[in-house]
Each structure stands twice: as C-alpha cells, then as structure tokens.
Amino acid sequence: MKTIRDFLYIVQLNTFAVPIFSIICIYICRQIDFIFEIPANLVNIAVIFPLVFSIASAYKRRESALQSFGILKSSLASLYLMHRDCTNNDDPQATKQLHLTNRLLTLLPVCLQSSDQEHNRSLQEIYRLFQTFSSLHKQMLQRNVAPPCIAEANTLLHRAIVSFEEMKNIASYHTPATLRAYSRIFLMAFPVLFSPYFANINLANSWVSGYLVAFIYSTVVVSLNNIQDHLENPYDGVGLDDLRLDTASEYTNLLAS
C-alpha cells in the first residue's frame, strides 16, 4: 500500500491532461489520414533522455544537501560538547552554545525556504550567530583553555559555515534553466509532434494499440517530469524525499540530555 501511495503522490493534473490530449491528436491524425513512421529512438532522445538526466542531476543535489546538513549538525554538536567539556559543566558558555545551536537550526529552514526579503533577514542573523560562535572561542582563550581545543573549535566552526554555504548554494542554483525549458517545451509538444507516429501504430490489426502506446508513453514522460519537479528543490517540502529541516528542538533536546 505504501508503494501505491508513493506513486499516487506524483499524480497531478498534467498526468491526465497530456495523455488525453495525445489521444485527441491521434484521433485527428487518423481522421485526416496524416500518419507516418518516426524512429522510436527519437522519442527517447528528444524527451526521455533529458528528463532522466535532469532527475539524476536533481537527485545528486539532494544527496549533497543531505550530506552537508549532516556535517552542519555534527559540527554544531561537536562545538557544544567541546565548550561543555573544555570548561566546567555548569559554565554559562556551554548553555549559550546550545541556545545558539537551537537558534541557527531554527533559522535554517527559514533561510532556505523563504522569499527574498525573509531569506536576506534570516541569512544576516545566521551569520551574526556564526560571529557569536567565534567570540565564544575568543572568550575561551581568555579563560586559559588549551590552545589545541580552541583551534579544533575554530575548525568545527569553519566546517559548519562551509556546510551551510553548500546548502544555500543548492537552494539558489538548480538544474540548468535551459535544460528544464527544453524538457518542458518538448513535454508540451510531445502529443502533437508524435501523434502521426502513434496514429500509424496498428499492432495485431487493432486500432486501439496506437492509443494505448501513446497513453503509456505520455504517462511515463509526465511522471518522470513530475518526479524531477519534486526533486528539484530538496528543501521545499513538496516531494517525498525532501530534507526535513525542522529538527532544532529535537536536536538540541538530544544534546541537552
């Protein structure tokens, strides 16, 4: 049942509109006797291959975002544990470090999912938090904490900043716009361009075979396009495989325990 629910998740209006339009075009072609042969590989080269390439690219971006998110969380957790263990357990710096971690993880989905104005505001606040992290390291130096601990803390902060920037870049730069435009144009033109080819199909002397093949082709192409749209932005919460960014309370509670 879960597999069926996951499949139905990609079913949208265009999943029905494109196959129906393709069938209408085939009917018109047969009525005016406008039928001819087209190499079947042309369908794969013109439509399916670009979509599959886009899906692979979007999936790779999603995996990169997942890896960067894991590095960001692990770096923040290591920073907290270092502040806690390199100073007294009841030191207010450790508590402040935990609050900073919670605030940063709370702002992360706002920065990656919001519009330009909200994005800029949250981005500025996140970098203010990074500056506060750095100032805590300076205070550790004034408290005579061992220099290797401070050096390691700076390394962890650097890793956290790099991971955040990688996640931000993935949100800003998607699959090449020209490739997506090409795929969408051919998706819209698919029922018209290939209807003479499908109208010429007459398997086992059955006129229904052309409609059936066109319906299957159209459904496959539209489903691949919907999958690519869901994978395009791993932060928008639209697809089943998007990252779950609302982990601030869960993660800080885990560290505090």
Side-chain angles (χ1 to χ4, degrees):
M1 290 299 295
K2 183 179 183 301
T3 302
I4 296 176
R5 287 196 303 268
D6 292 347
F7 175 78
L8 293 177
Y9 194 82
I10 65 172
V11 175
Q12 300 176 5
L13 180 61
N14 59 358
T15 309
F16 302 101
V18 174
I20 291 174
F21 185 53
S22 181
I23 290 174
I24 293 174
C25 290
I26 293 173
Y27 176 78
I28 295 174
C29 288
R30 285 181 170 175
Q31 291 300 312
I32 63 177
D33 197 28
F34 183 64
I35 59 176
F36 52 81
E37 284 283 350
I38 297 178
N41 289 334
L42 184 60
V43 180
N44 299 328
I45 297 173
V47 183
I48 296 180
F49 175 75
L51 283 174
V52 172
F53 180 82
S54 298
I55 291 173
S57 177
Y59 180 78
K60 184 177 179 180
R61 292 172 57 256
R62 183 254 185 191
E63 291 300 296
S64 297
L66 187 61
Q67 181 179 11
S68 297
F69 190 35
I71 294 175
L72 174 64
K73 291 191 296 181
S74 64
S75 298
L76 293 175
S78 299
L79 275 174
Y80 165 71
L81 296 176
M82 181 167 292
H83 275 271
R84 188 196 67 182
D85 297 337
C86 289
T87 59
N88 297 326
N89 288 338
D90 57 349
D91 194 295
Q93 276 200 4
T95 303
K96 186 175 182 179
Q97 177 82 29
L98 191 62
H99 290 162
L100 292 174
T101 299
N102 181 273
R103 182 58 182 163
L104 196 152
L105 291 177
T106 301
L107 287 170
L108 185 63
V110 179
C111 180
L112 298 177
Q113 297 173 345
S114 58
S115 59
D116 291 341
Q117 183 176 359
E118 192 71 14
H119 167 80
N120 293 333
R121 185 196 65 79
S122 58
L123 180 61
Q124 291 174 359
E125 187 170 351
I126 285 176
Y127 266 92
R128 281 196 294 268
L129 291 174
F130 284 139
Q131 293 173 6
T132 306
F133 278 116
S134 182
S135 66
L136 291 179
H137 300 169
K138 184 177 180 180
Q139 294 176 23
M140 291 173 66
L141 183 62
Q142 294 170 351
R143 292 186 174 196
N144 297 322
V145 175
C149 290
I150 300 175
E152 182 63 25
N154 287 328
T155 300
L156 291 171
L157 178 60
H158 172 73
R159 288 180 60 196
I161 295 174
V162 170
S163 299
F164 168 72
E165 280 297 323
E166 289 174 347
M167 294 183 69
K168 184 166 68 71
N169 285 341
I170 290 173
S172 301
Y173 300 98
H174 296 172
T175 302
T178 52
L179 181 61
R180 290 298 298 139
Y182 169 87
S183 298
R184 289 193 175 99
I185 288 175
F186 266 89
L187 176 64
M188 292 184 291
F190 177 80
V192 177
L193 294 178
F194 292 96
S195 54
Y197 165 71
F198 292 123
N200 192 45
I201 296 177
N202 189 23
L203 300 177
N205 295 323
S206 173
W207 60 271
V208 180
S209 58
Y211 295 111
L212 180 61
V213 172
F215 180 84
I216 294 174
Y217 261 100
S218 300
T219 303
V220 169
V221 170
V222 173
S223 297
L224 289 174
N225 181 74
N226 293 343
I227 291 172
Q228 202 282 332
D229 286 341
H230 287 175
L231 286 174
E232 182 64 25
N233 187 347
Y235 309 125
D236 59 5
V238 174
L240 294 174
D241 298 309
D242 284 357
L243 274 65
R244 188 171 67 88
L245 299 174
D246 54 338
T247 59
S249 298
E250 174 187 346
Y251 204 67
T252 50
N253 290 336
L254 181 63
L255 290 174
S257 63

